[in-house]
Structures are given as C-alpha cells and as structure tokens.
Amino acid sequence: MTAAGRRTTAQRKTLAAGALAVALITGLAGCSGSDGTATKGAQGGAGTKKGPAAAPQTVPRLIGDGSTAFTGAQPRQPVWQKLKPGETPPQFVVFSWDGAGEDSQKLFSHFRSVGRKYDATMTYFLSGVYLLPEEKKALYDPPQHNAGRSDIGFNDTEGIRATVRELRGAWQEGNEIGTHFNGHFCGAEGGVGTWSVEEWKSEIKQAKSFVKNWKTNSGLRAEQPLPFDYDKELVGARTPCLEGRTNFVRAAAQLGFRYDTSGVNDQIWPKKDLGLWDLSLQLVPMPGRAFQTLSMDYNFLVNQSPGTTQGDPNQREYWGDQMRDGLVQAFERAYKGNRAPLVIGNHFESWNGGTYMRAIEETIATVCVQKDVKCVSFRQLADWLDAQDPDVIAKMRTLKVGEAPAAGWKTFLASQPAAPAAPATAPAAGVAGSAADAAAPAADMPVPAADAKQAERR
C-alpha cells in the first residue's frame, strides 16, 4: 500500500478540505463560465452600488457529505437603495427557467453565456430529481404516489455531473437557484393541486435532500461541491403546471420562503401573500390575436400548435417572432408606463425547432441593454422590493397596466413617509386590487389564454 493509501480518514478529509478551499476560492474569484470565459463585474447603475466582483476570501466549509459548501456571500449581487422622493423606479425584468438541467442540447450553458453577454442574472428552478440517478429513484417518495415515481424521470451520472457544473457556475455568476420540486405531477389524480400543506413540506424537504446529497446518491465524490448552503439559498419556487399554489404558499410561508411565482397576474406592481412576494407570471400581448397569453414559452406554444410540440416547420419562424414581439410589447408598456416588473418563464426545450429559445435570446438582447433596465433574478427583485417603503410600493400598485403617472414620476413619488406604515414582512394594507385582479381566475387554475386554457405543463 502507498503512503497515500495509508492516510487516515481524518487526514484525507483535511487534505480534501484544503484542496477544496483552493479550488473554490479560485473558481469564485474568476467567476469563469463552463466555456472558460470570465464573467462581467457586478451589476451597477442607477439605484445600486456595485457589489463585489468576486466572493470574499472565505474558507469554504463543507456541508453534510460535501455535496454543498458554504463559501461566503454570493458574488455579483447588487446593493439596492431606497427610491428617493420623485425618483423613477428601475424597470425590472426577470427571466426564469423551470426544471433547469444540462442535457445534450446544452441550453443551460448557452443561456449562462447569454446572461454574461447582456449582464443579465436569472433564476434557475432546479427539479430535484435531476440530481438523482435512475438506480436510486426509490429514494424519492412523492406525495400520493408510489416511491420511485416521477412524471419527468430521473437522470444518469453524466447528466448529474453536467447539471451540477452548470448550477455551480450559474451561482458564481450571481444567478439564483430556486426549485421546481421533483416529480412534476399535474392534474386531478395525485397532482400537486391536490396536495396538502404537509405534503408540500415533504416535497420541499426531498427537493432539498437531493441537492444536499447528490454526491452520495450519484457516486460522483471527486466533483466539486455546489458553492452554497441550499437551506439558505432556496427562497422561492414555481409549482408544476402552476397548480397547487394555495397550499404551497402556506407551506412556504412556514418554511421561510420569500416569494412565489406560480400564479397569474396582470402587469402591475406586486404585493405580498402570507408574507411572500407574489411574483407570478403575467398576461402579455399575443400579436395578431385578440387576447393575451401567459408570459411563458409553453403558453405561446399551445396557442400556436395545439396538441404538439413539433408543429408546421413553415410556421416556426413566425411563431418565434410572435413570442418575441409579444414579450417586447409587454416590456414597452411597462417601461413607458407603470414600470411594473416583467416576469418571464421558460423551459430548456427545443419545441417547434427551438424557435422559443431564439425568441427569448432576442428579447434579452433587446430589453436588457436599455437605460434604467435591470435584468435580475427573483431573489434580487425581492431584495429591491424589501428595501423600499411599503407605502411607496402600495402607491405604485394603484397604476394600471401600462399606465404612466399623469404628471410624471417626479410628482407621483414626490413625497414619501418618513417611516414604513407597516412591517416590511406584511402585505401593504388598504390597497384595492384592479378590476383585472378581481376577475382573474384562482392562481392555481390553469387559465392562461382565451382559446387555449392550459397552463405550463413541464
């Protein structure tokens, strides 16, 4: 036996921790992407102070089996300031991805590159079973289903290795890692819309467990850990098929989540629900049609090629242009109007020949470069909202979709109270919702569009 082979367990752990510290500190300082390119510095601009270009030199601390590690504050986080009296709010845009994982399409790594190019941070909602190998599927015990059942399957070793690599790099670049839970069960037969608060808590606990134990479950012990404590990192989610929001929010509020994005909203300023920011998807224009649809690739799909993800090839370019133009129109009416954050949801899918991926990339390139626009993660948006006076948010909520202040922002927000009228963790009181709010369907009901009443299904 070699000298290395005779090392004690304690010695091996000490050596591994030292190597980990060097590797993680180096990786965080460089913020290099999966293609080896360096990322840009922290977000700045009006209303922010530039955050650190690299993580503080904190010695990484392994957590559990070493699948995750505490490495200090996340890099590239903006430091938000409270709006000054009369100041125009930034235009926030959130691009988010459901079931984020890296496969042969390499869309996760591609959109990380897009984010770096346009200084856009995003939210990646990870499906926990993407870090669980097929041979270990029995570890998943979903509510109302047999152990080992998942409607989106599981992963293999190389898929887990690739997904962890992208998650690691995405977080180092300032992006958020949320959750899309696990088995993606929809519908009346045991779907998430039928789950109790306690069943949601079980699903959340298991989603965390698969992230915190991916090394043990996959056998990939030589890989670097994810550079964050997932118990602290995880603060928001989107439910499968946008179902089950009511009981999920109740569970999430008890678990310390900060936001939910599982409902259907108009493009107005958000409010809190049980202490969570309601940052749901929004109704946006569908050019050439007499109705709006939900701000998600799937919902454009079901209005364009109902019943199939591989529709007429001759229509695909038009369909992509239609989605891009609808999202840009939604952006323009907020940017020139009430400045309400625009929330967009997507999937790493090549539906209809990848036309929706092109549409999203072109939307990012169009909107994220404009003055006073902040393309941020949900967590960063929640940070900004929490930094503001609740009465100011409440006043901005009185502006309807696309409605700019009649006398301009300088007059509209000229005077602000010296102190918050309500705790930052409580919903703004006494603010009536719009007529559209009152008429909107329940957030867990799949009604995104007039002639294709289906919600996000993946």
Side-chain angles (χ1 to χ4, degrees), residues 135-188:
E135 60 269 22
K136 296 288 186 67
K137 66 181 183 180
L139 293 174
Y140 177 39
D141 187 14
Q144 302 187 29
H145 295 277
N146 293 329
R149 166 82 185 277
S150 169
D151 279 0
I152 56 172
F154 297 88
N155 215 333
D156 57 27
T157 300
E158 290 310 307
I160 294 171
R161 190 198 308 273
T163 296
V164 169
R165 180 189 67 233
E166 298 308 319
L167 292 168
R168 185 189 304 118
W171 187 87
Q172 290 169 343
E173 292 161 358
N175 301 285
E176 178 190 9
I177 310 302
T179 187
H180 201 44
F181 308 100
N182 297 305
H184 209 286
F185 301 107
C186 302

Side-chain angles (χ1 to χ4, degrees), residues 151-342:
D151 279 0
I152 56 172
F154 297 88
N155 215 333
D156 57 27
T157 300
E158 290 310 307
I160 294 171
R161 190 198 308 273
T163 296
V164 169
R165 180 189 67 233
E166 298 308 319
L167 292 168
R168 185 189 304 118
W171 187 87
Q172 290 169 343
E173 292 161 358
N175 301 285
E176 178 190 9
I177 310 302
T179 187
H180 201 44
F181 308 100
N182 297 305
H184 209 286
F185 301 107
C186 302
E189 300 298 322
V192 299
T194 70
W195 290 2
S196 68
V197 171
E198 292 306 313
E199 286 172 328
W200 272 113
K201 288 182 180 179
S202 171
E203 180 77 351
I204 295 166
K205 181 179 180 180
Q206 292 185 78
K208 287 184 176 182
S209 175
F210 298 144
V211 174
K212 296 191 293 184
N213 296 284
W214 64 266
K215 282 193 175 187
T216 296
N217 294 335
S218 68
L220 294 170
R221 294 188 176 275
E223 297 293 313
Q224 289 187 33
L226 293 171
F228 50 78
D229 180 344
Y230 202 48
D231 284 326
K232 294 181 173 61
E233 172 69 14
L234 183 55
V235 296
R238 181 176 292 132
T239 64
C241 309
L242 308 184
E243 295 175 0
R245 181 180 182 274
T246 299
N247 279 345
F248 163 66
V249 169
R250 290 171 179 160
Q254 295 175 29
L255 296 175
F257 278 46
R258 296 181 59 201
Y259 72 85
D260 168 66
T261 176
S262 306
V264 178
N265 282 345
D266 287 322
Q267 276 184 272
I268 62 173
W269 281 90
K271 63 180 179 179
K272 282 188 173 181
D273 182 5
L274 295 181
L276 277 70
W277 285 107
D278 179 1
L279 304 178
S280 293
L281 294 168
Q282 298 165 331
L283 292 169
V284 299
M286 188 155 188
R289 307 294 290 272
F291 58 86
Q292 299 189 108
T293 192
L294 212 55
S295 53
M296 176 171 272
D297 49 6
Y298 179 84
N299 298 88
F300 279 87
L301 166 82
V302 297
N303 282 291
Q304 294 166 336
S305 59
T308 179
T309 61
Q310 300 301 320
D312 183 356
N314 294 323
Q315 291 294 311
R316 292 174 181 174
E317 182 177 2
Y318 170 74
W319 288 336
D321 290 350
Q322 187 178 44
M323 178 179 173
R324 176 202 63 209
D325 293 346
L327 295 178
V328 171
Q329 286 178 25
F331 166 82
E332 290 289 343
R333 73 182 180 188
Y335 186 49
K336 298 175 181 178
N338 63 1
R339 285 286 175 104
L342 174 61

